């Protein structure tokens, strides 16, 4: 939750009343633009855009002053080393060490450093003790170390005196063509060029230089004055914004480069922004932005929609996509980063005079304040390939505890332990399932984390025990700002152990946040992380027990009185790195420290931690879930949440959700109801509300709303097996949990702009939430030539590039099942997901349009420990083919497999529903089941329901009783391919 009323209360009354007045005059809340920089208010962004403009004017990169020194090139074991020479106007030259590493799967990494800074041969101004090197530790935080092995079979050849070529991958399928002067790289896959570096000449590495004090105008000196400086140095040596001055002891040091995707019309990614999934152009023009996408993790109060402004988290990773090909770019830099995007259209054939529409190239320009130039390219060719490669590098989504993907109930604030118990009882009274209740900052004693408000929370343990009776959990908030108050043990230890972030003078940094004057833990410091861990043990964090988990907010970090509401860039972290160098990683080191602190709070009790974070970076998926911060209770925010969450999937951090109902403001009952229906398809589903809003727990609304929201929640709970399986795919292959149209249908160009419908994992479930007031229907686009069936009544919709209008009265979620899938569910209503653990499964077999085939998977484990890493899980492939439905094992056995299977022995399949069941089954009556561990076959009953109107035929097998963890097959009657074809 963002700063808000609390901050205002310290302002002068007159200011407050003006604000209140404004508030009543215009009810729409507005972001404070003046708090955050535009490109032209950020020295390095402005300088790099100006360079781009001048290069564009010249129309060719020839004047780019960067040249690869041919004599410096060394190539060994898949790695090229060399020096790029930057020639300066005065005839001097700067040496920039280059490495290119050729990796598996058509991935390549290119890094450029600066020799002088690396060797420490520079001087810092203002007596700064900061490190002199370009920041080179982003990789250590973001990468796991996997996927970095060079392909030793890569080979290099000199094509001409000015061009070097490296081929790698299977039979040299991938090629890097390296132009020496100016330095540039083309990346080819097969016969096609996919990615070009510095093709427009925007490469820029701002080298270190001493500050030359300009001679004061000397009226006595009649000799010629030095020429006017050719460059505008006004933002090189210090820079002010909003009354704060950045001392910039290292001078200018930005890195930037253009990256072009020839023939690619769409780029996706760069979370976190509020615009459409397919990223917009940023250099002005009709419907475009006039600002680059900015990444500088910030606490943006009342953020606006459809904007390239920065938000709380940053992932500098992008998919470029065109029909049947996807490539990825990962710009591994932790400093403030801006990305410009422009597209150009050209004809491949000059004779068509543009009549055929031509080809679109997408040009991107990446600009960072400092650090190494370190960039990965993944040549795909499918979105799955690119996501997998990126996941291999930065880590896959951590397998969550199973409760974490159920419903969370939050509000700022549940005011007392009695309040929490009361809400808990009411959920049960109204038969509404939920798993987790949350406490925002007010539970603490005076905003001192690790303490409880003694008046309102006198007995947290009894509250937690009540929750535990239904296997529910409690999440409490703990932020990185530590109240600066003598006698508060946490701040006393933070200071005495010297574990806080320092200011530019190397003294403890002090700023303002919720508790007032505060200090910030420096989670870059291993000693700070070890200390943090010690605070969470049950004997130290009194009032907590095993069912308490964590929420890390404000970790951008939010500093109410800091520049752009965050820390000064010249603050110092562990290792004397300046804050500017690692700003975007700061939030991740904090939530990761919390994750590690929660792994084992009591000796021997190791559980998968749950941590929610607001700030994030590439790699955050390994230890947290995220939410989209402080949204608003408006239809527009509901609609915007869908592309935002889809984009988290592109960015490899798919465990994402938006505050259901909207944080600021009071949603209408209709809006809140629609939001629960959409939220049931967020990977992370939490209802949350601002302190000034009315209570809005689902039972507060009354009928029909309460009932409809309860149905949405029951749908979520019934599909938890499918969700958990989708999380497992994210955890092993890096695929998004909810997927965008282009990801699922990468060769259908008509879907590349679609970002308001989502697929749940690879289950074939397609949802299109209603996001407009009074909406009574939605238009769903169906790409492939397959039938889709309404989830609830099996109405059939034909695919094949068709758009269908689907009725969606308030009580209906437009949810379809793509033919050819098998979806696992658990249909018994329970109070919490924990109570569903031993419940039987239902399998929904959605046959393809020929009524012949379907397949699906199911992943199950204990949902709380790490035993799955030793084989304690069930992973099944279900397939229907040739009239036989089969379950087969696709897991790998480990030490704990047998024990787990034994524990799960009693968990059975209680129902099979077959949608689009062939007419030949109508008279079947009985089916034969064979199951591992049982001799011979047994008979089960099938009942058949004929197609009516547009509704597909369906059949039900009740109580077939096969174990979920064993091989089995069910024989359906021969259908002689006489499947009914539903004509529409
Ligand atoms: C210029 O010369 C005058 C007279 O010699 C001297 O007083 C003054 O300090 C000089 N100014 C500068 C800027 O050197
Ligand atoms: C997470 O914490 C662990 C344990 O302290 C540490 O080894 C690792 O480097 C941290 N990673 C990140 C991304 O903060």
């Amino acid at each position: 939750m963002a700063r808000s009323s609390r901050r205002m209360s310290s302002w002068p009354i007159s200011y407050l009343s003006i604000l209140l007045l404004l508030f009543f005059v215009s009810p729409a809340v507005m972001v404070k633009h003046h708090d955050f920089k535009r490109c032209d208010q950020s020295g390095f962004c402005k300088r790099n855009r100006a360079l781009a403009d001048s290069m564009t004017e010249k129309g060719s990169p020839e004047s780019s002053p960067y040249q690869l020194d041919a004599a410096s090139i060394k190539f060994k074991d898949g790695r090229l080393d060399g020096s790029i020479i930057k020639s300066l106007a005065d005839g001097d030259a700067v040496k920039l060490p280059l490495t290119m590493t050729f990796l598996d799967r058509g991935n390549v990494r290119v890094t450029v450093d600066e020799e002088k800074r690396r060797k420490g041969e520079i001087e810092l101004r203002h007596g700064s003790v900061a490190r002199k090197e370009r920041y080179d530790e982003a990789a250590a935080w973001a990468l796991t170390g996997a996927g970095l092995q060079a392909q030793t079979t890569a080979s290099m050849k000199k094509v001409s005196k000015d061009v070097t070529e490296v081929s790698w991958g299977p039979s040299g399928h991938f090629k890097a063509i390296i132009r020496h002067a100016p330095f540039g790289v083309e990346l080819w896959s097969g016969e096609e060029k996919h990615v070009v570096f510095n093709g427009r000449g925007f490469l820029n590495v701002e080298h270190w230089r001493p500050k030359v004090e300009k001679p004061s105008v000397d009226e006595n000196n009649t000799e010629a004055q030095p020429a006017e400086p050719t460059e505008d140095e006004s933002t090189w040596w210090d820079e002010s914004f909003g009354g704060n001055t950045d001392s910039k002891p290292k001078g200018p040091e930005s890195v930037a480069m253009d990256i072009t995707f020839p023939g690619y019309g769409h780029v996706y990614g760069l979370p976190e922004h509020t615009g459409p999934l397919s990223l917009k152009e940023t250099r002005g023009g009709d419907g475009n932005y006039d600002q680059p996408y900015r990444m500088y993790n910030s606490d943006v109060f009342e953020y606006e929609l459809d904007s390239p402004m920065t938000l709380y988290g940053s992932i500098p990773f992008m998919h470029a996509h065109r029909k049947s090909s996807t490539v990825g770019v990962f710009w591994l830099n932790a400093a403030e980063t801006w990305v410009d995007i422009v597209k150009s259209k050209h004809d491949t054939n000059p004779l068509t005079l543009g009549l055929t529409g031509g080809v679109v190239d997408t040009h991107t320009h990446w600009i960072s304040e400092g650090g190494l130039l370190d960039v990965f390219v993944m040549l795909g060719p499918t979105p799955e390939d690119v996501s997998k490669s990126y996941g291999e590098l930065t880590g896959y989504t951590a397998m969550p505890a199973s409760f974490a993907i159920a419903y969370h109930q939050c509000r700022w604030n549940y005011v007392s332990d009695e309040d929490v118990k009361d809400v808990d009882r009411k959920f049960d009274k109204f038969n509404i399932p939920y798993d987790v209740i949350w406490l925002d900052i007010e539970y603490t004693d005076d905003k001192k984390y690790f303490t409880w408000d003694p008046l309102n929370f006198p007995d947290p343990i009894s509250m937690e025990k009540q929750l535990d009776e239904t296997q529910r959990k409690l999440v409490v908030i703990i932020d990185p700002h530590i109240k600066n108050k003598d006698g508060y043990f946490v701040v006393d230890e933070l200071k005495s152990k010297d574990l806080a972030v320092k200011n530019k003078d190397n003294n403890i940094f002090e700023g303002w946040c919720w508790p007032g004057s505060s200090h910030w833990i420096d989670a870059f410091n291993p000693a700070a992380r070890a200390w943090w861990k010690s605070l969470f043990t049950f004997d130290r964090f009194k009032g907590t027990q095993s069912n308490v988990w964590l929420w890390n907010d404000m970790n951008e970090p939010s500093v109410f009185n800091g520049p752009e509401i965050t820390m000064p860039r010249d603050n110092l972290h562990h290792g004397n790195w300046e804050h500017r160098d690692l700003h975007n990683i700061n939030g991740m080191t904090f939530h990761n420290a919390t994750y590690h602190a929660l792994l084992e709070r009591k000796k021997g009790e190791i559980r998968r931690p749950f941590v929610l974070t607001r700030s994030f970076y590439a790699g955050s998926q390994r230890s947290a879930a995220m939410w989209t911060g402080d949204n608003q209770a408006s239809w527009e925010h509901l609609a915007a949440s869908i592309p935002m969450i889809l984009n988290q999937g592109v960015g490899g951090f798919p465990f994402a959700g938006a505050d259901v109902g909207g944080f600021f403001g009071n949603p209408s009952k209709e809006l809140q109801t629609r939001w629960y229906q959409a939220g049931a398809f967020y990977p992370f589903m939490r209802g949350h509300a601002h302190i000034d809003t009315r209570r809005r727990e689902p039972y507060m609304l009354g009928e029909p709303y309460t009932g409809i929201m309860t149905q949405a929640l029951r749908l979520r709970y019934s599909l938890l097996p499918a969700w958990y399986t989708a999380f497992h795919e994210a955890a092993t292959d890096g695929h998004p949990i909810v997927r965008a149209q282009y990801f699922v249908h990468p060769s259908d160009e008509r879907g590349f702009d679609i970002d308001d419908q989502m697929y749940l994992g690879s289950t074939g479930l397609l949802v299109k939430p209603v996001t407009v007031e009074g909406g009574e229907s939605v238009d769903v686009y169906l790409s492939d030539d397959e039938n889709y069936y309404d989830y609830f009544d099996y109405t059939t919709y034909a695919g094949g590039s068709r758009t269908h209008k689907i009725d969606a009265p308030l009580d209906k979620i437009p949810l379809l099942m793509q033919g050819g899938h098998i979806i696992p569910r658990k249909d018994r209503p329970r109070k919490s997901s924990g109570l569903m653990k031993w419940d039987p499964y239902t399998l929904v077999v959605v046959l393809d349009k020929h009524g012949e085939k379907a397949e699906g998977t199911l992943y199950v484990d204990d949902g709380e420990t790490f035993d799955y890493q030793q084989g304690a899980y069930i992973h099944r492939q279900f397939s229907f083919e040739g009239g036989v439905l089969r379950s087969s094992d696709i897991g790998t056995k480990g030490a704990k497999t047998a024990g787990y299977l034994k524990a799960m022995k009693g968990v059975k399949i209680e129902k099979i529903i077959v949608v689009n069941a062939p007419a030949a089954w109508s008279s079947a009556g009985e089916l034969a089941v064979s199951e591992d561990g049982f001799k011979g076959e047994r008979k089960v009953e099938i009942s058949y329901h004929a197609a009516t109107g547009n509704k597909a035929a369906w059949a039900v097998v009740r109580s077939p009783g096969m174990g979920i963890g064993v091989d089995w097959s069910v024989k359906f009657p021969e259908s002689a391919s006489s499947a009914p074809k539903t004509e529409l």
Side-chain angles (χ1 to χ4, degrees):
M1 128 220 75
R3 72 212 157 85
S4 62
S5 51
R6 209 55 42 96
R7 190 177 185 220
M8 286 183 197
S9 64
S10 63
W11 292 353
I13 293 300
S14 56
Y15 195 7
L16 238 184
S17 48
I18 291 169
L19 257 180
L20 282 176
L21 203 79
L22 281 174
F23 190 78
F24 287 119
V25 171
S26 111
V29 279
M30 281 269 289
V31 70
K32 296 188 186 64
H33 279 280
H34 60 259
D35 275 350
F36 300 97
K37 290 180 182 177
R38 296 165 48 95
C39 179
D40 59 5
Q41 294 167 317
S42 156
F44 74 93
C45 187
K46 187 178 175 183
R47 295 194 296 273
N48 280 287
R49 257 195 170 185
L51 172 78
D53 288 341
S54 93
M55 281 296 183
T56 305
E57 226 162 77
K58 289 174 189 146
S60 98
E62 293 310 313
S63 58
S64 170
Y66 297 85
Q67 185 166 345
L68 175 58
D69 171 10
S72 72
I73 298 177
K74 289 196 195 77
F75 186 80
K76 190 163 180 272
D77 294 337
R79 174 174 155 151
L80 182 152
D81 285 273
S83 292
I84 295 175
I85 306 299
K86 174 183 185 184
S87 326
L88 305 181
D90 61 6
D92 268 2
V94 174
K95 203 165 164 188
L96 307 171
L98 163 79
T99 68
M100 295 181 71
T101 320
F102 300 89
L103 311 167
D104 278 338
R105 294 186 226 277
N107 300 343
V108 58
R109 179 185 195 177
V110 177
T111 64
V112 179
D113 200 347
E114 179 182 348
E115 192 175 74
K116 262 206 152 118
R117 293 191 201 253
R118 164 111 333 244
K119 291 187 172 164
E121 292 167 358
I122 69 166
E123 284 148 33
L124 302 181
R125 301 168 62 245
H126 313 300
S128 168
V129 301
R131 285 281 276 274
K132 295 179 171 177
E133 301 97 314
R134 285 180 172 274
Y135 185 62
D136 61 357
E137 294 187 355
W141 300 108
L143 304 182
T144 61
L148 295 175
Q149 189 61 40
Q151 254 189 15
T152 49
T153 52
S155 66
M156 188 187 85
K157 70 173 185 223
K158 264 195 151 158
V159 175
S160 70
K161 85 174 202 322
D162 194 37
V163 177
T164 300
E165 189 180 300
V166 174
S167 22
W168 81 108
S171 54
H173 185 72
F174 304 108
K175 233 172 18 198
I177 300 178
I178 305 159
R179 181 189 60 203
H180 300 177
F183 172 72
V185 181
E186 290 179 357
L187 295 163
W188 291 62
S189 169
E191 293 309 303
E192 284 179 316
K193 180 166 67 178
H194 292 269
V195 181
V196 181
F197 286 176
N198 201 30
R200 293 188 295 162
F202 303 174
L203 174 62
N204 189 26
V205 180
E206 290 188 317
H207 58 281
W208 184 79
R209 60 209 99 187
K211 181 172 185 196
V212 180
E213 299 300 337
K214 297 206 194 75
S216 52
V217 182
D218 180 354
E219 72 271 24
N220 299 352
N221 186 353
T222 50
E223 276 173 47
Q225 295 288 320
E228 279 291 298
T230 49
E231 290 176 277
D232 171 12
E233 297 185 13
S234 59
T235 53
W236 284 11
W237 309 110
D238 50 50
E239 204 171 331
S240 296
F241 181 76
N244 291 282
T245 299
D246 173 9
S247 67
K248 302 184 78 160
K250 299 189 279 182
E253 62 163 326
S254 74
V255 291
M257 187 167 70
D258 60 278
I259 302 178
T260 292
F261 305 101
Y264 286 80
H266 291 269
V267 282
Y268 308 100
L270 304 185
E272 176 180 30
H273 294 97
T274 56
L277 183 69
S278 177
L279 300 176
K280 287 195 186 184
E281 294 185 58
T282 59
R283 284 290 210 142
D286 227 10
N288 299 333
Y289 299 141
D290 65 355
Q291 293 294 301
Y293 283 93
R294 185 181 190 209
M295 286 176 279
Y296 189 62
N297 296 349
S298 304
D299 181 0
V300 182
F301 183 61
E302 293 177 347
Y303 63 76
E304 64 183 358
L305 300 181
D306 196 9
S307 166
M309 265 181 89
T310 194
L311 272 178
Y312 315 96
S314 299
I315 301 179
F317 174 59
M318 178 184 271
H319 280 194
H321 185 72
R322 71 179 191 210
K323 191 179 163 97
S324 307
S325 182
T326 312
V327 296
V329 164
F330 175 37
W331 179 266
L332 178 46
N333 190 298
E336 179 184 5
T337 297
W338 303 76
V339 182
D340 261 322
I341 297 171
V342 294
K343 299 182 184 183
S344 64
K345 212 169 190 183
H346 60 86
D347 268 305
T348 40
N349 179 354
L351 296 178
T352 60
L353 296 171
L355 293 176
T356 55
V359 171
V360 176
D361 297 339
T362 298
H363 308 275
T364 60
H365 182 199
W366 303 68
I367 306 166
S368 294
E369 186 182 8
L372 298 182
L373 189 160
D374 191 355
V375 58
F376 289 80
V377 173
M378 299 129 202
L379 290 172
T382 67
E384 282 96 340
D385 293 333
V386 174
S387 291
K388 172 118 192 161
S389 290
Y390 175 78
E392 186 173 26
L393 291 169
T394 62
Y396 300 120
T397 300
M399 205 52 213
S402 50
F403 77 82
I405 67 173
Y407 175 63
H408 300 252
Q409 179 63 46
C410 187
R411 125 164 232 106
W412 179 22
N413 220 90
Y414 289 115
V415 297
S416 65
D417 48 20
E418 281 309 320
D419 188 11
V420 169
K421 288 178 176 174
D422 182 55
V423 171
D424 181 62
R425 281 189 290 261
K426 291 234 172 69
F427 267 89
D428 288 346
K429 182 169 164 219
F430 285 85
N431 280 311
I432 305 173
Y434 91 97
D435 267 58
V436 191
I437 190 161
W438 291 51
L439 293 177
D440 210 318
I441 51 175
E442 315 299 338
Y443 79 90
T444 59
D445 180 11
D446 212 13
K447 312 297 183 301
K448 294 187 297 237
Y449 302 116
F450 304 98
T451 70
W452 297 85
D453 175 345
L455 277 182
N456 294 312
F457 290 88
D459 191 3
I461 293 284
S462 92
M463 163 179 73
E464 291 153 18
K465 289 212 157 110
Q466 178 181 320
L467 297 173
D468 195 42
E469 283 167 19
T470 45
Q471 297 199 31
R472 289 182 179 138
K473 322 290 173 189
L474 178 73
V475 166
V476 298
I477 196 167
I478 289 192
D479 293 347
H481 49 255
I482 305 297
K483 187 178 175 99
N484 178 19
K485 184 158 188 225
D486 282 348
Y488 170 35
F489 75 102
V490 180
V491 85
D492 289 346
E493 290 181 20
L494 179 76
K495 285 199 218 163
S496 67
K497 294 174 190 285
D498 193 21
L499 301 173
V501 180
K502 307 282 176 57
N503 62 21
K504 67 179 190 326
D505 304 319
N506 211 20
N507 298 318
I508 192 165
F509 170 71
E510 190 250 324
W512 282 72
C513 206
W514 293 125
S517 171
S518 303
H519 300 302
W520 274 259
I521 174 182
D522 181 12
F524 287 87
N525 183 347
R529 297 197 300 273
W531 167 70
W532 193 243
K533 187 177 168 104
S534 75
L535 294 173
F536 285 87
T537 56
F538 299 133
D539 53 339
R540 287 208 82 192
F541 190 178
K542 296 255 165 33
T544 62
Q545 53 165 38
S546 313
N547 65 340
V548 178
W549 300 99
L550 259 293
W551 173 14
N552 286 160
D553 194 359
M554 316 296 275
N555 51 336
E556 295 74 24
S558 176
V559 179
F560 292 164
N561 61 340
E564 299 193 89
I565 329 294
T566 190
M567 269 184 188
R569 290 164 198 249
D570 45 15
N571 267 9
L572 295 169
H573 288 262
H574 178 67
N576 285 356
W577 293 110
E578 275 196 287
H579 184 72
R580 84 182 71 249
D581 289 324
L582 44 73
H583 173 84
N584 283 344
I585 290 181
N586 183 81
M588 174 164 74
T589 58
F590 181 64
H591 72 67
N592 172 70
T594 304
Y595 174 93
H596 283 273
L598 295 175
L599 274 170
E600 189 177 9
R601 285 175 285 176
K602 189 170 105 196
K603 197 128 189 63
E605 189 181 270
I606 299 173
R607 295 279 178 275
R608 285 177 235 173
F610 174 76
V611 180
L612 181 76
T613 181
R614 190 169 72 183
S615 183
F616 57 86
Y617 187 71
S620 278
Q621 67 271 16
R622 305 194 298 264
S623 57
M626 66 75 72
W627 92 110
T628 61
D630 299 341
N631 62 356
Q632 295 169 31
S634 74
W635 290 94
E636 293 74 18
H637 271 264
L638 167 57
S641 69
I642 293 168
M644 288 180 82
I645 286 163
L646 287 171
N647 209 22
Q648 286 295 129
V650 178
F653 188 15
F655 193 1
D659 280 347
V660 173
F663 180 67
F664 293 115
N666 292 304
S668 69
K669 292 181 178 186
E670 181 193 354
L671 172 58
Q672 183 175 337
T673 303
R674 288 303 197 188
W675 215 317
Y676 270 76
Q677 294 176 337
F681 290 87
Y682 295 163
F684 172 62
M685 185 187 189
R686 181 184 74 156
H688 186 34
H690 188 275
I691 198 164
D692 296 335
T693 60
R694 289 192 289 271
R695 286 281 174 126
R696 56 161 100 128
E697 293 68 29
Y699 52 76
M700 295 291 292
L701 275 72
E703 295 304 332
Y705 307 99
T706 294
I708 298 172
M709 284 188 280
T710 305
Q711 285 313 311
L713 289 167
R714 292 231 170 277
L715 176 64
R716 170 69 170 216
Y717 275 70
S718 131
L719 286 171
L720 284 175
W723 279 100
Y724 202 62
T725 303
F727 269 83
H728 181 254
E729 284 173 41
T732 49
D733 287 326
H735 298 169
I737 294 161
V738 289
R739 301 178 187 169
Q741 190 71 17
Y742 86 92
F743 195 96
V744 179
H745 301 289
S747 27
D748 178 8
E749 287 171 293
R750 288 183 59 187
F752 295 173
D753 275 316
I754 293 179
D755 59 8
D756 55 3
Q757 55 189 50
M758 313 189 273
Y759 293 83
L760 166 50
S762 48
T763 61
L765 284 166
L766 169 59
V767 67
K768 168 98 184 220
V770 176
T771 58
V772 293
E773 185 163 20
E776 287 181 341
S777 68
V778 294
D779 290 331
V780 178
Y781 175 70
L782 303 179
S783 175
D784 53 324
D785 185 19
E786 183 48 82
N787 282 347
Y788 286 69
Y789 305 92
D790 184 281
Y791 182 84
F792 304 98
D793 68 10
Y794 313 143
T795 301
T796 310
Y797 298 94
S801 298
R802 283 195 183 81
T803 300
H804 294 275
K805 187 184 274 305
I806 297 186
D807 282 344
L810 187 62
D811 61 357
K812 167 112 185 194
I813 304 177
L815 177 61
L816 303 181
M817 303 182 285
Q818 183 188 24
H821 293 272
I822 299 176
I823 304 163
R825 301 198 309 218
K826 285 192 173 188
D827 286 352
R828 299 193 181 181
R830 301 280 183 196
K831 291 177 176 170
S832 75
S833 73
L835 298 174
M836 295 165 67
K837 192 163 180 173
W838 310 108
D839 278 355
Y841 286 85
T842 291
L843 295 182
V844 184
V845 180
V846 190
L847 294 180
D848 64 3
K849 63 177 185 173
H850 306 297
E852 287 170 359
K853 283 187 186 168
E855 54 183 42
T857 58
L858 171 71
Y859 174 83
V860 194
D861 62 24
D862 67 21
E864 57 179 332
T865 73
F866 289 90
D867 287 358
Y868 67 92
Q869 292 171 348
Q870 295 169 66
Y873 65 87
I874 290 169
H875 199 189
R876 309 300 302 180
Q877 166 92 41
F878 302 119
S879 63
F880 184 96
E881 205 179 346
V884 181
L885 176 64
R886 237 178 258 288
S887 170
S888 27
D889 193 4
I890 48 172
T892 308
K893 289 200 169 35
K896 294 198 166 165
T897 308
Y900 183 66
L901 288 178
K902 200 167 160 212
M904 291 292 286
K905 213 170 164 192
V907 181
K908 310 279 189 191
I909 291 165
E910 68 172 342
K911 197 199 267 189
I912 298 169
I913 300 170
V914 184
V915 180
N916 195 23
W921 298 3
S922 57
S923 53
E926 271 188 350
L927 306 177
V929 173
S930 46
E931 180 177 3
D932 232 26
F934 290 88
K935 271 216 181 76
E937 292 183 340
R938 64 173 189 269
K939 298 288 180 200
V940 291
E941 274 178 33
I942 176 172
S943 58
Y944 185 83
H945 306 261
T948 52
N950 287 339
K951 296 187 174 58
W954 53 289
V956 186
V957 182
R958 276 180 218 284
S959 313
M962 296 83 75
I964 198 64
V966 295
D967 288 352
W968 50 257
S969 63
V970 181
K971 245 165 100 186
F972 288 79
E974 295 295 331
S975 64
S977 75
S978 60
K981 293 221 169 78
T982 320
E983 296 302 335
L984 296 172

